[in-house]
Amino acid sequence: MSRISVVTGGTRGIGAATAIALKDRGDTVVAVYGYNEERAKVFTAETGIASYRWDVSNFDACLTGIASVEADLGPVDILINNAGITRDGTVHKMDCENWQAVIDTNLGSCFNMSRAVIGGMRERKFGRIVNVGSINGQAGQYGQVNYAAAKSGIHGFTKALAQEGAAQGITVNAIAPGYIDTDMVAAVPDRVLDKIIERIPVGRLGKASEIARAIRFLTDDDAGFITGSTLSINGGQHMY
Protein backbone atom coordinates (compact mmCIF):
# COMPACT_ATOMS: atom_id res chain seq x y z
CA MET A 1 0.00 0.00 0.00
CA SER A 2 1.35 3.41 -0.96
CA ARG A 3 1.81 5.73 2.00
CA ILE A 4 2.23 9.50 2.20
CA SER A 5 5.47 10.32 3.97
CA VAL A 6 6.87 13.66 5.16
CA VAL A 7 10.59 14.06 5.87
CA THR A 8 11.84 17.24 7.52
CA GLY A 9 15.30 18.40 6.58
CA GLY A 10 14.50 16.27 3.59
CA THR A 11 16.58 17.74 0.77
CA ARG A 12 20.08 17.09 2.16
CA GLY A 13 22.06 14.43 3.99
CA ILE A 14 20.17 11.84 6.00
CA GLY A 15 16.85 13.45 5.12
CA ALA A 16 17.48 13.26 1.38
CA ALA A 17 18.64 9.65 1.59
CA THR A 18 15.54 8.80 3.61
CA ALA A 19 13.18 10.56 1.21
CA ILE A 20 14.70 8.62 -1.68
CA ALA A 21 14.50 5.30 0.19
CA LEU A 22 10.83 5.83 0.98
CA LYS A 23 10.06 6.85 -2.58
CA ASP A 24 11.81 3.71 -3.83
CA ARG A 25 9.49 1.68 -1.59
CA GLY A 26 6.51 3.25 -3.34
CA ASP A 27 5.60 6.03 -0.91
CA THR A 28 4.49 9.47 -2.02
CA VAL A 29 7.14 11.58 -0.32
CA VAL A 30 7.36 15.24 0.66
CA ALA A 31 10.71 16.74 1.62
CA VAL A 32 10.42 19.75 3.93
CA TYR A 33 13.24 22.30 3.94
CA GLY A 34 13.85 25.55 5.71
CA TYR A 35 16.13 27.88 3.80
CA ASN A 36 18.22 26.48 0.91
CA GLU A 37 15.77 26.93 -1.93
CA GLU A 38 18.35 26.32 -4.66
CA ARG A 39 19.32 22.97 -3.15
CA ALA A 40 15.64 22.02 -2.83
CA LYS A 41 15.03 22.79 -6.50
CA VAL A 42 17.96 20.61 -7.54
CA PHE A 43 16.81 17.79 -5.25
CA THR A 44 13.27 17.85 -6.64
CA ALA A 45 14.52 17.98 -10.23
CA GLU A 46 16.85 15.03 -9.66
CA THR A 47 14.47 12.82 -7.67
CA GLY A 48 10.94 13.88 -8.55
CA ILE A 49 10.23 14.26 -4.81
CA ALA A 50 8.14 17.33 -4.00
CA SER A 51 9.75 19.85 -1.67
CA TYR A 52 7.80 22.19 0.58
CA ARG A 53 9.31 25.09 2.48
CA TRP A 54 8.44 26.09 6.03
CA ASP A 55 10.11 26.73 9.38
CA VAL A 56 9.71 23.57 11.45
CA SER A 57 10.60 25.49 14.63
CA ASN A 58 7.38 27.50 14.20
CA PHE A 59 4.24 25.75 15.42
CA ASP A 60 1.78 27.63 13.21
CA ALA A 61 3.99 27.15 10.14
CA CYS A 62 3.92 23.39 10.73
CA LEU A 63 0.14 23.30 11.01
CA THR A 64 -0.20 25.35 7.83
CA GLY A 65 2.45 23.31 6.01
CA ILE A 66 0.89 19.95 6.83
CA ALA A 67 -2.55 21.27 5.88
CA SER A 68 -1.10 22.25 2.49
CA VAL A 69 0.49 18.84 1.99
CA GLU A 70 -2.71 17.04 2.88
CA ALA A 71 -4.76 19.27 0.60
CA ASP A 72 -2.39 18.47 -2.27
CA LEU A 73 -1.71 14.79 -1.64
CA GLY A 74 -3.88 13.36 1.12
CA PRO A 75 -3.47 12.42 4.77
CA VAL A 76 0.06 11.97 6.12
CA ASP A 77 0.79 8.40 7.22
CA ILE A 78 4.50 8.65 8.01
CA LEU A 79 6.53 11.45 9.60
CA ILE A 80 10.31 11.58 9.82
CA ASN A 81 11.50 14.32 12.18
CA ASN A 82 15.01 14.80 10.86
CA ALA A 83 15.53 18.58 10.71
CA GLY A 84 18.46 19.79 12.77
CA ILE A 85 21.04 22.53 13.12
CA THR A 86 24.18 23.13 15.17
CA ARG A 87 25.32 26.27 16.96
CA ASP A 88 28.31 24.93 18.84
CA GLY A 89 30.02 26.56 21.79
CA THR A 90 30.84 25.97 25.42
CA VAL A 91 28.30 27.16 27.96
CA HIS A 92 30.41 30.02 29.27
CA LYS A 93 30.53 31.48 25.76
CA MET A 94 27.11 30.46 24.40
CA ASP A 95 24.47 33.12 24.05
CA CYS A 96 20.78 32.52 24.60
CA GLU A 97 19.97 32.88 20.92
CA ASN A 98 22.20 29.95 19.93
CA TRP A 99 20.84 27.83 22.74
CA GLN A 100 17.22 28.50 21.83
CA ALA A 101 17.66 28.13 18.07
CA VAL A 102 18.96 24.58 18.46
CA ILE A 103 16.33 23.59 21.03
CA ASP A 104 13.52 25.00 18.88
CA THR A 105 14.71 23.50 15.60
CA ASN A 106 15.96 20.12 16.76
CA LEU A 107 13.51 19.31 19.57
CA GLY A 108 10.65 21.76 19.26
CA SER A 109 10.10 20.71 15.66
CA CYS A 110 9.37 17.15 16.80
CA PHE A 111 6.44 18.42 18.84
CA ASN A 112 5.29 20.87 16.18
CA MET A 113 5.27 18.32 13.37
CA SER A 114 3.92 15.44 15.44
CA ARG A 115 1.12 17.63 16.75
CA ALA A 116 0.18 18.52 13.18
CA VAL A 117 -0.25 14.89 12.07
CA ILE A 118 -1.15 12.92 15.20
CA GLY A 119 -4.86 13.68 15.15
CA GLY A 120 -5.34 12.25 11.68
CA MET A 121 -3.20 9.23 12.49
CA ARG A 122 -5.36 8.51 15.54
CA GLU A 123 -8.54 8.77 13.50
CA ARG A 124 -7.21 6.36 10.85
CA LYS A 125 -5.64 4.01 13.43
CA PHE A 126 -2.30 4.04 11.67
CA GLY A 127 0.85 6.09 11.81
CA ARG A 128 4.62 5.83 11.77
CA ILE A 129 6.81 8.50 13.37
CA VAL A 130 10.59 8.30 13.47
CA ASN A 131 12.62 10.96 15.26
CA VAL A 132 16.29 11.37 14.42
CA GLY A 133 18.35 11.76 17.57
CA SER A 134 22.11 11.47 17.86
CA ILE A 135 24.96 9.66 19.54
CA ASN A 136 25.70 13.02 21.14
CA GLY A 137 22.29 12.98 22.77
CA GLN A 138 23.22 9.67 24.36
CA ALA A 139 26.87 10.27 25.27
CA GLY A 140 27.17 14.07 25.32
CA GLN A 141 29.76 16.09 23.43
CA TYR A 142 32.07 18.90 24.46
CA GLY A 143 30.89 22.24 23.09
CA GLN A 144 27.43 20.97 22.20
CA VAL A 145 25.28 21.42 25.29
CA ASN A 146 22.43 22.79 23.18
CA TYR A 147 22.62 20.04 20.55
CA ALA A 148 23.10 17.25 23.11
CA ALA A 149 20.20 18.52 25.23
CA ALA A 150 17.88 18.71 22.21
CA LYS A 151 18.82 15.28 20.92
CA SER A 152 18.58 13.72 24.37
CA GLY A 153 15.14 15.27 24.67
CA ILE A 154 14.14 13.55 21.44
CA HIS A 155 14.75 10.16 22.99
CA GLY A 156 12.45 10.94 25.95
CA PHE A 157 9.86 12.50 23.64
CA THR A 158 9.87 9.31 21.57
CA LYS A 159 9.21 7.00 24.50
CA ALA A 160 6.36 9.12 25.85
CA LEU A 161 4.64 9.62 22.49
CA ALA A 162 4.99 5.90 21.74
CA GLN A 163 2.89 5.15 24.81
CA GLU A 164 0.24 7.62 23.71
CA GLY A 165 -0.01 6.26 20.19
CA ALA A 166 0.32 2.51 20.67
CA ALA A 167 -3.36 1.70 21.13
CA GLN A 168 -4.21 3.69 17.99
CA GLY A 169 -1.83 1.80 15.70
CA ILE A 170 0.81 4.56 15.78
CA THR A 171 4.42 3.58 16.34
CA VAL A 172 7.02 6.11 17.44
CA ASN A 173 10.70 5.26 17.34
CA ALA A 174 14.04 7.04 17.26
CA ILE A 175 17.27 6.60 15.38
CA ALA A 176 20.50 7.69 17.06
CA PRO A 177 23.09 8.07 14.31
CA GLY A 178 26.77 8.31 15.02
CA TYR A 179 29.03 10.36 12.78
CA ILE A 180 27.63 10.19 9.26
CA ASP A 181 29.23 11.44 6.05
CA THR A 182 26.99 14.49 5.62
CA ASP A 183 27.54 18.21 5.04
CA MET A 184 27.23 18.83 8.79
CA VAL A 185 30.08 16.42 9.58
CA ALA A 186 32.10 17.65 6.60
CA ALA A 187 32.23 21.04 8.31
CA VAL A 188 34.22 19.53 11.20
CA PRO A 189 37.96 20.34 10.90
CA ASP A 190 39.99 17.44 9.52
CA ARG A 191 42.17 17.15 12.62
CA VAL A 192 39.07 16.78 14.79
CA LEU A 193 37.36 14.41 12.38
CA ASP A 194 40.43 12.16 12.25
CA LYS A 195 40.30 11.80 16.03
CA ILE A 196 36.59 10.99 15.88
CA ILE A 197 37.13 8.26 13.30
CA GLU A 198 39.87 6.76 15.48
CA ARG A 199 37.20 6.18 18.15
CA ILE A 200 34.79 4.39 15.79
CA PRO A 201 35.46 0.62 15.96
CA VAL A 202 34.46 0.01 12.33
CA GLY A 203 37.00 2.65 11.31
CA ARG A 204 34.88 4.92 9.14
CA LEU A 205 32.03 7.38 9.03
CA GLY A 206 28.54 6.06 8.46
CA LYS A 207 26.62 6.59 5.25
CA ALA A 208 23.32 8.43 5.03
CA SER A 209 21.90 5.46 3.15
CA GLU A 210 22.57 3.25 6.18
CA ILE A 211 20.40 5.48 8.35
CA ALA A 212 17.74 5.67 5.65
CA ARG A 213 17.59 1.88 5.44
CA ALA A 214 16.77 1.68 9.16
CA ILE A 215 14.10 4.37 8.89
CA ARG A 216 12.53 2.56 5.98
CA PHE A 217 12.36 -0.60 8.11
CA LEU A 218 10.79 1.16 11.11
CA THR A 219 8.12 2.82 8.94
CA ASP A 220 7.04 -0.35 7.17
CA ASP A 221 3.46 -1.55 7.58
CA ASP A 222 4.86 -4.76 9.11
CA ALA A 223 6.81 -2.92 11.84
CA GLY A 224 3.80 -2.44 14.10
CA PHE A 225 5.27 -4.24 17.11
CA ILE A 226 8.30 -1.96 17.35
CA THR A 227 7.58 1.22 19.26
CA GLY A 228 9.32 3.37 21.87
CA SER A 229 12.70 2.08 20.73
CA THR A 230 15.92 3.90 19.95
CA LEU A 231 18.09 2.25 17.32
CA SER A 232 21.73 3.28 17.67
CA ILE A 233 23.67 3.25 14.40
CA ASN A 234 27.17 4.42 15.20
CA GLY A 235 29.71 1.81 14.12
CA GLY A 236 30.15 0.67 17.70
CA GLN A 237 31.35 4.04 18.97
CA HIS A 238 28.82 4.15 21.80
CA MET A 239 27.09 0.99 22.99
CA TYR A 240 24.04 2.03 24.92
Side-chain angles (χ1 to χ4, degrees):
M1 179 178 181
S2 178
R3 297 291 186 183
I4 295 176
S5 298
V6 173
V7 183
T8 69
T11 61
R12 301 170 62 187
I14 290 171
T18 299
I20 292 167
L22 297 182
K23 183 191 176 189
D24 288 346
R25 180 173 67 189
D27 293 11
T28 298
V29 182
V30 167
V32 179
Y33 71 101
Y35 61 92
N36 194 334
E37 186 169 3
E38 192 59 38
R39 172 59 194 149
K41 288 179 179 179
V42 170
F43 175 78
T44 295
E46 290 177 347
T47 65
I49 295 170
S51 55
Y52 285 63
R53 183 177 184 177
W54 70 77
D55 178 3
V56 293
S57 71
N58 182 291
F59 179 75
D60 290 335
C62 291
L63 294 182
T64 301
I66 288 297
S68 178
V69 169
E70 294 193 330
D72 292 344
L73 302 173
V76 173
D77 302 298
I78 296 167
L79 170 64
I80 313 302
N81 285 313
N82 168 72
I85 61 172
T86 56
R87 297 288 187 272
D88 295 350
T90 52
V91 168
H92 68 284
K93 294 181 179 179
M94 184 177 293
D95 59 35
C96 185
E97 181 180 351
N98 285 340
W99 165 267
Q100 200 63 51
V102 171
I103 297 296
D104 290 346
T105 300
N106 297 17
L107 178 58
S109 65
C110 291
F111 167 76
N112 296 340
M113 292 294 295
S114 297
R115 180 65 178 81
V117 302
I118 198 77
M121 290 179 175
R122 289 172 63 89
E123 290 175 5
R124 297 186 299 276
K125 303 296 183 184
F126 179 89
R128 297 285 185 265
I129 298 175
V130 177
N131 304 310
V132 179
S134 170
I135 185 175
N136 291 345
Q138 297 173 316
Q141 177 61 43
Y142 182 94
Q144 283 196 327
V145 291
N146 48 5
Y147 186 83
K151 292 298 188 179
S152 180
I154 283 174
H155 300 307
F157 175 89
T158 296
K159 293 177 186 299
L161 187 57
Q163 294 180 47
E164 293 182 15
Q168 285 74 40
I170 303 165
T171 67
V172 187
N173 293 287
I175 299 285
Y179 286 85
I180 308 300
D181 190 10
T182 63
D183 291 345
M184 184 179 291
V185 173
V188 175
D190 288 343
R191 60 181 176 79
V192 176
L193 193 56
D194 288 344
K195 291 180 180 179
I196 290 171
I197 293 173
E198 287 176 3
R199 300 199 303 269
I200 302 174
V202 302
R204 64 172 176 86
L205 298 174
K207 300 175 182 177
S209 61
E210 293 174 306
I211 307 302
R213 189 176 301 117
I215 293 173
R216 174 171 166 165
F217 165 71
L218 289 172
T219 56
D220 195 85
D221 280 12
D222 294 333
F225 203 59
I226 307 170
T227 196
S229 294
T230 295
L231 180 55
S232 298
I233 307 176
N234 58 43
Q237 184 177 358
H238 181 66
M239 300 183 186
Y240 171 76

